[in-house]
Amino acid sequence: MPRRSLPLQGRMRWMLLGLFLLLVLLLFAYLLECTPPADVSLVLPGLGGESHGKEYYQALLQEQEERHLNRAASLKRQISQLKQELQEMSEKLKVLQDRKEGPGVQGLVETKDQEPGDLLEFLHSQIDKAEVNTGARLPSEYALVPFESFTSSKVYQLEMGLTRHPEEKPVRKDRRDELVEVIEAALDVINNPDEEDGQEDDVPMQRQTYTESHFTEGLYRTERDKGTLYELFFAKDDSDNFRHVTLFRPFGPLMKVRSTSVETSGVIINIIVPLAGRTEAFSQFLHNFREVCIEHDRRVHLTVVYFGQEGLQEVKSYLEKMSREASFSNYTLIPVDEEFSRGRGLDIGAHTWKKGDVLMFFCDVDIYFTLDYLNTCRLHTAPNSQERCWILERFWLWNDMSVPLGLPQYR
């Protein structure tokens, strides 16, 4: 057995050596095939691979440099041409400011020429189609495009998608840049009023008084085939006079629609609360009512429609205690000996008021509201109409759940 293993080992060595030589040959053949051919431009014609001198390579470098310079000059000419075309387009867009096509509608872009153009007609046609000046008939409530409200730092969304949270903070950068631009445009409208805004008699020094700190809230919504409508409100500190600016972006530059003044000092809110039992919840409601409505506003009237006899005396004592301690008598308690019905209670409370026009707030005992919400109710309502549905995001329960229960409306 030992003698037989020697020839086998010898054969194995010869086989390994043969494989190694075969691999070397394959590698050599690969290098011959893959080696790039020599640059014929570096060889003098007719001299079979002899290299050129220093002058030849300098000439090649100079020629390549000239090609780069020509390319750079061509690009500069193209850039200059594009800038000129952009300037011409900008001048055409600037025609929007001086042209007064419709009542109270003008562009926010400065203008030098009086040129009609298809673009201007399209922008004004978008305003006419959108629900800016007049509403539109909808086939159902599902076709309604809701508004979203925003402040300087937050956006309150009605269509929350997957977030399931109505407040967006911090605001996305793209949305923040858009809203900042809108606020600046509205400030320019307020601080530089036109004669049609009804401020031509104001003192010039008083016009440049509104800043971004005076912005209270805004609303916007986008109709996919028309554009975006913006409603912005500004007010000075401790003032009941608000400036209301309406802007529209018809997939182009911002357009001014109107700028008006809104006085809310004389608007009384009648808060109507139907109730049956739940005296502890009513005590919490009165605590918030006292802090917000009595201590900071006092332009409110509380109407409580109470169903049944159980708990009626306790509710009456709560109201009398609040009246004595806060010197507040603008409340009405209406006992009803019927089974509880929220709709019936709101109807009774609404028909009980006999003192002229009033803003009615149909409320529930679980709803928590703030002073800003009362101002929002006054700003977004008009006589003989119901409040717009985008105000619902300001309704909050004590457990931070939003509840759309009733809408403020005039009667």
Side-chain angles (χ1 to χ4, degrees):
M1 294 298 293
R3 293 180 179 178
R4 188 176 180 182
S5 61
L6 292 176
L8 290 175
Q9 293 178 359
R11 291 177 183 176
M12 290 296 295
R13 285 196 293 270
W14 282 108
M15 289 178 63
L16 293 174
L17 180 60
L19 289 174
F20 176 74
L21 293 176
L22 180 61
L23 290 175
V24 170
L25 290 175
L26 291 175
L27 179 61
F28 183 71
Y30 173 78
L31 293 175
L32 290 178
E33 287 291 333
C34 297
T35 301
D39 191 356
V40 295
S41 63
L42 301 179
V43 181
L44 288 176
L47 294 182
E50 184 179 351
S51 300
H52 290 285
K54 181 179 179 181
E55 294 79 5
Y56 179 77
Y57 295 110
Q58 288 180 347
L60 288 178
L61 290 175
Q62 185 176 1
E63 182 181 355
Q64 187 176 9
E65 183 179 2
E66 290 178 355
R67 286 199 300 268
H68 285 303
L69 291 175
N70 292 335
R71 177 61 176 168
S74 176
L75 291 176
K76 288 181 179 179
R77 287 193 300 269
Q78 294 180 17
I79 293 174
S80 177
Q81 184 179 359
L82 291 175
K83 287 183 177 179
Q84 184 178 0
E85 294 178 359
L86 180 61
Q87 181 66 24
E88 292 177 357
M89 293 298 297
S90 300
E91 291 177 356
K92 291 181 180 180
L93 289 176
K94 289 179 181 179
V95 73
L96 298 175
Q97 184 178 9
D98 289 346
R99 294 189 58 84
K100 310 290 185 178
E101 290 289 329
V105 179
Q106 74 176 54
L108 292 177
V109 187
E110 295 182 358
T111 180
K112 295 180 180 178
D113 303 324
Q114 296 292 334
E115 183 177 343
D118 297 336
L119 178 61
L120 185 61
E121 295 178 1
F122 169 75
L123 296 179
H124 286 289
S125 66
Q126 292 296 95
I127 295 179
D128 295 335
K129 294 177 183 178
E131 295 184 63
V132 178
N133 296 312
T134 57
R137 286 188 173 274
L138 301 176
S140 68
E141 65 272 19
Y142 300 101
L144 178 68
V145 180
F147 278 83
E148 296 182 356
S149 64
F150 64 95
T151 63
S152 299
S153 59
K154 301 178 183 178
V155 171
Y156 298 93
Q157 307 170 88
L158 283 181
E159 294 183 347
M160 296 170 286
L162 299 178
T163 62
R164 307 304 302 170
H165 198 284
E167 179 182 303
E168 179 184 336
K169 180 185 179 184
V171 184
R172 296 197 323 260
K173 184 180 185 303
D174 58 338
R175 198 198 301 267
R176 183 175 66 252
D177 295 341
E178 173 191 355
L179 298 180
V180 167
E181 178 190 1
V182 172
I183 293 174
E184 292 177 351
L187 287 172
D188 183 69
V189 171
I190 296 176
N191 294 328
N192 300 280
D194 298 328
E195 293 182 358
E196 61 188 22
D197 294 335
Q199 289 187 325
E200 60 271 15
D201 297 332
D202 291 350
V203 180
M205 292 300 294
Q206 295 180 348
R207 292 182 178 179
Q208 305 293 336
T209 54
Y210 285 90
T211 63
E212 187 176 351
S213 62
H214 296 133
F215 173 66
T216 58
E217 68 170 328
L219 305 143
Y220 76 95
R221 71 172 180 178
T222 300
E223 298 182 62
R224 293 182 178 88
D225 58 339
K226 300 177 182 67
T228 305
L229 174 64
Y230 301 92
E231 307 270 358
L232 299 98
F233 296 89
F234 299 82
K236 299 179 182 178
D237 297 336
D238 301 327
S239 175
D240 295 326
N241 185 275
F242 290 81
R243 294 295 303 172
H244 178 199
V245 180
T246 303
L247 303 176
F248 189 75
R249 190 197 300 273
F251 302 115
L254 278 170
M255 306 282 291
K256 170 191 167 185
V257 179
R258 68 178 68 89
S259 175
T260 58
S261 179
V262 181
E263 180 64 41
T264 62
S265 60
V267 179
I268 300 176
I269 299 179
N270 183 13
I271 301 177
I272 304 175
V273 182
L275 185 64
R278 306 198 60 191
T279 56
E280 293 183 2
F282 183 70
S283 177
Q284 288 183 327
F285 175 85
L286 285 184
H287 177 74
N288 175 64
F289 178 85
R290 180 172 178 175
E291 289 184 347
V292 175
C293 301
I294 299 179
E295 296 180 5
H296 297 94
D297 193 286
R298 301 193 75 90
R299 292 170 293 164
V300 296
H301 185 95
L302 177 61
T303 301
V304 180
V305 182
Y306 195 86
F307 290 84
Q309 297 297 324
E310 183 180 356
L312 176 60
Q313 293 300 322
E314 190 174 356
V315 169
K316 185 177 181 180
S317 64
Y318 285 151
L319 292 172
E320 291 176 349
K321 180 181 178 181
M322 179 190 68
S323 177
R324 289 192 308 268
E325 295 178 352
S327 299
F328 181 80
S329 59
N330 293 333
Y331 72 90
T332 303
L333 176 60
I334 307 174
V336 179
D337 194 11
E338 300 178 8
E339 186 178 354
F340 176 79
S341 171
R342 179 175 285 103
R344 171 68 173 158
L346 296 176
D347 183 69
I348 293 174
H351 285 86
T352 302
W353 182 266
K354 304 296 183 181
K355 301 179 182 180
D357 289 341
V358 68
L359 175 60
M360 293 186 296
F361 174 21
F362 295 163
C363 188
D364 191 81
V365 70
D366 293 313
I367 289 180
Y368 172 84
F369 52 86
T370 64
L371 181 63
D372 292 336
Y373 174 73
L374 296 180
N375 290 329
T376 300
C377 290
R378 294 185 176 99
L379 288 174
H380 304 312
T381 50
N384 302 315
S385 66
Q386 190 175 43
E387 186 179 17
R388 303 175 189 176
C389 60
W390 34 251
I391 205 173
L392 288 179
E393 76 273 11
R394 296 300 176 87
F395 283 84
W396 295 97
L397 277 173
W398 288 96
N399 58 356
D400 291 337
M401 294 292 289
S402 58
V403 179
L405 296 175
L407 293 172
Q409 62 180 3
Y410 269 99
R411 179 180 180 271

